[in-house]
DNA sequence: CAATTTAGTCAGCAAGACTGACTAACTGGA
DNA sequence: TCCAGTTAGTCAGTCTTGCTGACTAAATTG
C-alpha cells in the first residue's frame, strides 16, 4: 500500500529548494543566536541590494523585483530595529537615501559569514572539489537563467 | 557613486534561489495557460507528497514539514477546485484519505511535464553534459543536506 | 509655467504559514 | 471492559510578506 506515483522522481525544483531551505533556516537561526533575532529572511532583500553609500527606496524595490510599498515595509522594520537610517537625498527633495547603520553593517557581515560557513560545512560533506564544481555550474546556470525563458524575472 | 560592498559576491543562497524562482514562475505560469489557473506554487506541497492510493492529511503535513492546519488549508482549496476528494478511511474513523481526482491527476502530470520542459530548455542553453553534471551534484547535495547541519529540517 | 512623471505614503486585501484550544475516535493497560 | 492517553482533524485567531489602488509632493520637460 501507499503506492508512489511511478514517474515522480526528484524534480529540478525540489533539488534546488531543499538545500535552499536548509541554508535559510541554518543561516537565519544562527543569526538570531548571534543576537540579530529581529532579522527575518525577507529582510535580506534589503541587505542584498543596498549600496555602501546608501540607496533610494525605489531603487531597492526595483532591484529586489518587488513593489515599493513592500520594500518600504521591510525598510521600515529594519529602520525601527536600528539597522538602517534614512537621510534626505540632496539631489532630489522627494527622495530619501536608505543607509546601513553600524549595526546594520555588522548584521550584513554576519549574514555573509554565516552563509559562507554553511557552504563550508556542505563542502566538508560533499568534498571540496565537488562543491567547487557545483558552485561553478550554479554560476553558469544563473547566467543562463538571467536571460530568462519567460520574461517574468526579478531579484 | 553607488559603491557596492566589496566582499558581497554571489552567495550560495542566491545561486540556488535565482533558478528556483525562475523555474517556479515559468512552470506555474505555463500551468495557468494550460487551464490550471487555480493552482498556486504552495499547492505543490500536496501534489509532491500525495500517494496514488490516497494519503491522510496528517501524513501529508508531516511529509511537507508543515502543520496539519496549514496543509488542511491547501487541501481544502484544491478540493473545492475539484483536484482532490476526501474519502473516509476504513481503518480509522477519525481519518479521511485525500485522493486525486482525474483532474488532479492531469494537473500533476502537467506539472511534471512543465518542470521537465523547463529543465530541457536550460539544458539547451547550458549544454546537456553540464546540465547532467549539475543534476548529479544537486542530487548528491540533497543527500548530504538531508542529514542536515542544524536539526531544523522539513519538506 | 502647465503637464507629466517620479518618490514615497496610506489604506486595505490575500496567500500561506503559525499557535492554541477543542472534539471525536482509536488504543493499550488495569 | 472501561478509562487514560494518544491521534486525526477542525475552529478561531495571528503574523509575515507580498499585492493593488489612490493619493501628495516634488521634479522635469516641452
Amino acid at each position: 500500500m501507499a503506492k508512489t506515483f511511478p514517474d515522480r522522481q526528484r524534480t529540478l525544483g525540489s533539488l534546488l529548494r531543499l538545500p535552499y531551505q536548509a541554508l535559510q533556516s541554518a543561516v537565519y537561526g544562527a543569526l538570531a543566536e548571534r543576537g540579530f533575532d529581529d532579522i527575518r529572511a525577507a529582510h535580506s532583500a534589503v541587505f542584498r541590494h543596498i549600496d555602501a553609500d546608501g540607496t533610494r527606496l525605489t531603487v531597492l524595490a526595483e532591484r529586489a523585483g518587488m513593489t515599493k510599498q513592500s520594500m518600504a515595509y521591510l525598510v521600515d522594520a529594519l529602520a525601527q530595529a536600528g539597522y538602517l537610517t534614512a537621510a534626505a537625498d540632496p539631489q532630489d527633495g522627494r527622495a530619501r537615501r536608505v543607509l546601513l547603520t553600524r549595526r546594520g553593517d555588522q548584521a550584513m557581515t554576519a549574514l555573509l559569514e554565516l552563509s559562507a560557513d554553511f557552504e563550508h560545512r556542505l563542502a566538508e560533506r560533499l568534498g571540496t572539489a565537488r562543491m567547487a564544481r557545483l558552485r561553478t555550474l550554479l554560476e553558469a546556470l544563473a547566467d543562463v537563467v538571467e536571460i530568462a525563458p519567460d520574461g517574468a524575472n526579478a531579484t
Side-chain angles (χ1 to χ4, degrees), chain A residues 23-117:
Chain A
L23 181 145
Q24 288 272 99
S25 70
V27 167
Y28 287 91
L31 195 68
E33 276 168 27
R34 287 206 191 179
F36 301 104
D37 62 325
D38 41 10
I39 297 181
R40 269 177 296 281
H43 298 139
S44 72
V46 180
F47 291 111
R48 266 204 304 281
H49 297 295
I50 197 166
D51 297 309
D53 54 351
T55 309
R56 281 182 321 194
L57 183 67
T58 309
V59 174
L60 282 176
E62 206 169 279
R63 289 187 189 167
M66 56 171 65
T67 61
K68 47 193 181 165
Q69 294 94 320
S70 299
M71 181 52 79
Y73 171 82
L74 296 176
V75 164
D76 217 63
L78 286 176
Q80 276 197 315
Y83 297 103
L84 303 174
T85 37
D89 188 318
Q91 266 88 56
D92 191 331
R94 297 166 300 176
R96 295 183 308 125
R97 299 188 80 69
V98 176
L99 284 159
L100 284 178
T101 59
R102 182 187 317 248
R103 181 155 171 79
D105 220 88
Q106 287 165 357
M108 199 173 92
T109 302
L111 217 35
L112 292 170
E113 264 178 40
L114 290 169
S115 174
D117 281 3

